[in-house]
Amino acid sequence: MREQLPRPGPLQWVWYALGGGLPARLAPWVLADTTGPGWVWRHLARALVQVAPLVVICLVVVPVPFAYRVSAAGGGLLLGLLFSVAFMTETTEHRVVKAGYPPGTAGRVRAERAERARLERHARYRRDGAGSFD
């Protein structure tokens, strides 16, 4: 059974999503958040939190017809997510370093997890040499 990591509260998570640091006791959670299964989706959720205030301002404050505001907000959202995806590994690595881990930790942990998953996927073909074509 997996050990339950301490999690940030809702306000702490919003602060973290906006790029703020978390207390040192939450460092293991930051590493799990940026390297665990589904880390890409969690990264996109954080990116949406970062872009949301600008989208809301664009929709509410800009004094042009609503159709223009929607198209500008949609374009801004699309561009924001595009840049977020383009720099996803660097951004998550920066979060892990900010949490106190050495540079390269997030990439190494993800690579180790991918290798373990690959070995487990192929393990059924490796029993006693049966089915091994290497």
Side-chain angles (χ1 to χ4, degrees):
M1 190 165 184
R2 286 178 49 174
E3 172 186 331
Q4 192 70 3
L5 296 174
R7 299 178 55 87
L11 289 177
Q12 282 181 316
W13 186 87
V14 170
W15 174 248
Y16 167 73
L18 292 172
L22 291 175
R25 68 180 178 79
L26 294 172
W29 179 87
V30 172
L31 184 62
D33 182 58
T34 56
T35 61
W39 71 274
V40 172
W41 296 111
R42 288 189 299 275
H43 173 78
L44 290 173
R46 290 188 302 268
L48 283 173
V49 168
Q50 292 175 354
V51 175
L54 298 174
V55 169
V56 169
I57 288 171
C58 185
L59 288 172
V60 174
V61 175
V62 178
V64 296
F66 189 69
Y68 294 145
R69 290 182 277 167
V70 168
S71 89
L77 180 64
L78 184 65
L79 276 174
L81 290 177
L82 180 70
F83 274 96
S84 178
V85 168
F87 295 102
M88 183 167 33
T89 55
E90 292 86 355
T91 303
T92 56
E93 193 66 51
H94 178 71
R95 287 181 187 279
V96 169
V97 169
K98 193 185 293 187
Y101 291 94
T105 301
R108 181 182 48 77
V109 170
R110 283 192 297 267
E112 289 170 358
R113 179 173 286 123
E115 180 62 16
R116 275 195 310 275
R118 187 188 70 76
L119 289 174
E120 288 173 8
R121 251 191 337 271
H122 297 302
R124 64 178 162 242
Y125 303 112
R126 302 282 182 193
R127 291 193 186 111
D128 301 323
S132 175
F133 295 99
D134 290 323

